[in-house]
Amino acid sequence: MELDLIKSSLFYADQRLCSAEILPPSQVRARIEVAVLNFLTALSSPTPAISHLPLISRRSDNCGLRCGLLSDVSSVFLSYSCCRRSLMRANDAKAFVRVWKVMQICFLILSEGKLVTQRELFYKLISDSPEYFTSQRQVNRTIQDVVSLLRCTRQSLGVMASSRGAIAGRLVLREPGEESIDCSKLGSAGHAITGDLNLLSKLVFHSDARYIIIVEKDAIFQRLTEDCLFNHIPCILITAKGYPDIATRFVLHRLSQNFPDIPIFGLVDWNPAGLAIICTYKYGSISMGLESYRYACNVKWLGLRGDDLQLIPQSSLLELKPRDLQIAKSLLSSKLLQEVYRAELTLMIEMGHRTEIEALYCHGFDYLGKYIARKIVQLDYI
């Protein structure tokens, strides 16, 4: 039964691999046309029926951890377990229609050779179909439904990432035919990362850095760039200003591919959200499991960690909020979480506290660079 459902997928090919392809616009439009033809064929058959939409399930029980054969990078993957979107089920009917609405817009975008952000797509959809779309979350989820149905990447659909990311430090990047950009000479804001993955894929990188440091927060990123940390520790600094967007993850992945011997460290708050950020950079996310392997990197957790609490005054410890506990519960239920991370998370819950990177400023505003240098020299990361 399950195998029949797998083969009922529009583009069933190889049972051993479940991924989204990078496709040119013509092929994506062709896949959308096939979906429409299948739908019309079902309606016009001797026994008319409204066909269902077989989508790869993005539930936690359909995911696993794929380990690289020739590298130490692991990533989330989704197996070939399908779920259905059906017009005939009351709780599915609107979701079923949303998929067709998004495919319609994507077909038009690709025909015009344009790219739009998820936010732009949201405003277009609530304008055209307010009875079906009421939130950005619905649009984001439907885009992933279309990715699951057509087995192509979000960028292939003409939807680009809304990037918040920035990069600074010992890196010179250049677009073909453009002038080089020295990321060590751009001030505290660094170089803004575009959301166009096609453009990012063409960047040429040059670097003499020995480390790459992911910084969770923009304020910390700006502190480190203002202090020119990269002149004291030869490094590249990169931030997504919170939870990592696709464009920032893509740049980090490209850096890891171009400079495979440079270790990547993560500097985040000591709380469940900080660990979730580390895990997203390291493994990818279940919601984008069909594409996670394209962005995963072998990230080491530099700090903050439980061992660093001795450096922080008791007054800087904050109580865990309900949202923190919700994230912690989700992480602990994941079979992907490695034991050293699980131990850190358990300590947070047992203490009932969290703390932020800024708590280290009790030792002075220049202490953060010294803290990072000491941790790297002592190999104090997991």
Side-chain angles (χ1 to χ4, degrees), residues 167-330:
I167 193 165
R170 305 280 273 266
L171 178 69
V172 175
L173 49 86
R174 180 175 57 83
E175 290 178 43
E178 300 290 335
E179 291 187 5
S180 297
I181 299 171
D182 186 342
C183 294
S184 68
K185 299 178 179 178
L186 299 176
S188 61
H191 175 70
I193 297 172
T194 176
D196 186 347
L197 301 193
N198 290 330
L199 184 60
L200 292 176
S201 67
K202 297 173 184 175
L203 291 177
V204 178
F205 298 130
H206 298 282
S207 179
D208 64 350
R210 294 178 58 188
Y211 312 102
I212 298 172
I213 302 174
I214 303 165
V215 183
E216 175 187 351
K217 302 157 90 169
D218 185 43
I220 299 298
F221 174 85
Q222 293 201 42
R223 164 55 52 200
L224 295 175
T225 53
E226 189 171 310
D227 291 347
C228 295
L229 175 71
F230 40 80
N231 288 338
H232 307 288
I233 304 171
C235 65
I236 298 168
L237 298 169
I238 187 167
T239 182
K241 303 176 184 178
Y243 194 80
D245 57 84
I246 286 297
T248 305
R249 287 165 59 192
F250 182 63
V251 169
L252 184 66
H253 180 77
R254 284 213 58 215
L255 288 171
S256 72
Q257 296 291 302
N258 277 261
F259 310 111
D261 296 327
I262 297 181
I264 304 173
F265 301 120
L267 182 66
V268 299
D269 289 340
W270 192 69
N271 60 19
L275 177 54
I277 287 170
I278 291 286
C279 290
T280 301
Y281 279 116
K282 189 176 182 73
Y283 303 121
S285 63
I286 296 174
S287 64
M288 292 192 64
L290 293 176
E291 300 184 58
S292 286
Y293 72 98
R294 298 186 191 281
Y295 312 113
C297 300
N298 184 23
V299 177
K300 304 295 186 184
W301 188 1
L302 189 71
L304 293 175
R305 302 202 320 274
D307 291 345
D308 299 319
L309 296 182
Q310 59 185 325
L311 302 172
I312 295 169
Q314 189 73 20
S315 58
S316 294
L317 296 179
L318 308 170
E319 287 189 10
L320 290 176
K321 296 180 179 180
R323 177 60 179 161
D324 294 315
L325 295 172
Q326 184 181 356
I327 296 171
K329 181 179 178 182
S330 176

Side-chain angles (χ1 to χ4, degrees), residues 42-63:
L43 282 180
S44 60
S45 68
T47 55
I50 296 178
S51 62
H52 63 269
L53 296 174
L55 311 176
I56 294 298
S57 172
R58 301 191 300 278
R59 292 168 52 94
S60 59
D61 56 6
N62 187 44
C63 77

